[in-house]
Amino acid sequence: MTAELQALFAESAHELFSSEVDENTLRAAEGGTWPRALWKHVEESGYTTLFDDDELGATWNEAYPIIAAASEALAPIPLAETLIAGWLLRQAGIEQPPGPLTIVPDASDVAHMQGVPWGRAAEHAVAVIPGALESSVVLYRIAHLRVTPGKNAADEPRDTLDAAAAGPVKSAALPGNLPADVVQRFGALVRAVQMAGAVNRILEQSVRFAKEREQFGKQIGSYQAISHQLAILTEEKIAAEVASAYAWRELASDAKSNAAGVAKIRAGRAAGIATTIGHAVHAAIGMTREHTLHFATRRLWSWRAEFGSESHWARKLGEDVVARGGANFWSDIT
């Protein structure tokens, strides 16, 4: 059933996002216009409440092709955030409210929750509040909070929420099978998948440009220096995809898996290389606002820093390896 559902979602999601997201959609979203029609179609497709459908019985495994398709299209909506929030609410026994949701990367200070993706566009925010004995899953209504607008380098909303004067509308204890940093882990996971999608977009654009652009009477892609760079870019795209797909499968069965950190590190490395090669192949024209290359490159520069940078996850993985002791070292790295 999983393979059938994945194939079904892969086809439908690719069709939806490739037809609904274009250059105008991305430019309008960066200008502050909420893509209402796109979100409506995503909701009608059932993607936002995927985990709430008991009859369908979808898991994270079935959600992967949907997020992968949205990532390649650079869909400017909080679909990944809504899926994580909805899943987390369900784990805590809280009913998912309608509308777009977001997640709080760091809720240690509820008066100053920074970098909340799509905070002003979402209707509710889900946070995990750390406690002395146990952590709690809380649901905030955005309209009850003070929202300070912000944005990342890709002009995506990254807002600061202040919940000091407003309590959550619902809360419950974080289930014992979930780690206290569950939001950070799943946030890193979806950003890794999104980065893999953006790297693929840069590869496609660069290959197309290398075939169209000519210098000295020849396609620039026929020169060895360019073809070598495109080969490296292809390797990075595959590495990011494999790492993120593996991590997705691991976290689908074990939310405490470190695979999300590994994927974030690998996809982050691919992001750095892909943006460098993409702009090198396109040369000066790729640096202009009028060209579309920046839609992917600016997102990559932003996403690699969100939900933990490469250095953050490398340090955490190292600490975990040390804590587990030398007897587990070989099994951990293999």
Side-chain angles (χ1 to χ4, degrees):
M1 188 63 179
T2 293
E4 294 176 9
L5 273 178
Q6 284 181 326
L8 178 65
F9 286 142
E11 182 179 358
S12 65
H14 178 75
E15 183 177 342
L16 188 155
F17 291 114
S18 60
S19 63
E20 294 285 342
V21 181
D22 58 15
E23 180 181 344
N24 292 332
T25 309
L26 294 171
R27 291 196 187 281
E30 291 191 0
T33 301
W34 171 249
R36 192 174 305 282
L38 171 62
W39 184 258
K40 181 173 181 288
H41 290 152
V42 168
E43 281 192 322
E44 289 174 346
S45 299
Y47 297 161
T48 59
T49 54
L50 196 65
F51 303 127
D52 240 10
D53 190 333
D54 291 327
E55 186 175 346
L56 185 64
T59 68
W60 279 109
N61 287 318
E62 285 75 34
Y64 176 77
I66 299 173
I67 296 300
S71 302
E72 290 187 12
L74 307 178
I77 51 174
L79 175 58
E81 288 81 359
T82 297
L83 276 174
I84 295 173
W87 173 79
L88 195 51
L89 290 174
R90 185 176 176 85
Q91 303 306 304
I94 300 174
E95 184 178 357
Q96 179 177 343
L101 307 176
T102 188
I103 49 177
V104 178
D106 181 3
S108 56
D109 180 3
V110 297
H112 204 62
M113 299 185 287
Q114 294 180 294
V116 178
W118 304 95
R120 80 198 76 163
E123 295 184 16
H124 291 83
V126 175
V128 173
I129 306 292
L133 299 178
E134 64 178 12
S135 299
S136 302
V137 178
V138 301
L139 176 66
Y140 290 110
R141 180 160 176 74
I142 297 291
H144 296 168
L145 311 180
R146 189 170 67 179
V147 180
T148 303
K151 61 183 180 181
N152 63 14
D155 289 330
E156 294 178 310
R158 296 294 185 265
D159 305 322
T160 298
L161 305 183
D162 179 356
V169 291
K170 289 184 179 177
S171 66
L174 180 72
N177 64 327
L178 300 182
D181 63 348
V182 60
V183 171
Q184 192 81 353
R185 287 175 188 264
F186 276 84
L189 177 66
V190 297
R191 286 294 183 268
V193 175
Q194 289 173 313
M195 284 194 286
V199 168
N200 183 53
R201 187 182 177 99
I202 291 175
L203 173 63
E204 291 180 348
Q205 279 192 278
S206 298
V207 169
R208 186 165 58 247
F209 184 78
K211 290 179 179 177
E212 295 171 351
R213 184 73 170 178
E214 292 188 357
Q215 286 289 341
F216 308 111
K218 295 171 61 178
Q219 296 176 344
I220 63 170
S222 64
Y223 292 101
Q224 189 175 30
I226 298 294
S227 60
H228 183 214
Q229 291 299 301
L230 293 176
I232 294 174
L233 182 49
T234 303
E235 292 174 353
E236 292 301 315
K237 172 249 184 185
I238 293 172
E241 282 183 347
V242 170
S244 57
Y246 172 78
W248 195 283
R249 191 179 63 201
E250 287 293 297
L251 265 74
S253 58
D254 179 10
K256 295 180 180 178
S257 169
N258 278 329
V262 176
K264 189 68 162 50
I265 293 170
R266 192 60 190 87
R269 171 184 162 81
I273 296 172
T275 51
T276 299
I277 293 176
H279 279 291
V281 170
H282 283 79
I285 193 172
M287 298 298 293
T288 64
R289 194 78 177 182
E290 289 72 20
H291 200 276
T292 59
L293 181 65
H294 66 83
F295 288 127
T297 56
R298 288 188 296 124
R299 279 169 172 75
L300 285 172
W301 289 323
S302 301
W303 292 343
R304 67 184 301 189
E306 294 180 353
F307 295 102
S309 64
E310 290 125 82
S311 59
H312 166 86
W313 284 108
R315 182 180 181 85
K316 182 170 178 53
L317 290 174
E319 290 173 346
D320 287 351
V321 167
V322 171
R324 281 172 53 77
N328 295 304
F329 181 63
W330 181 251
S331 61
D332 283 348
I333 64 171
T334 57

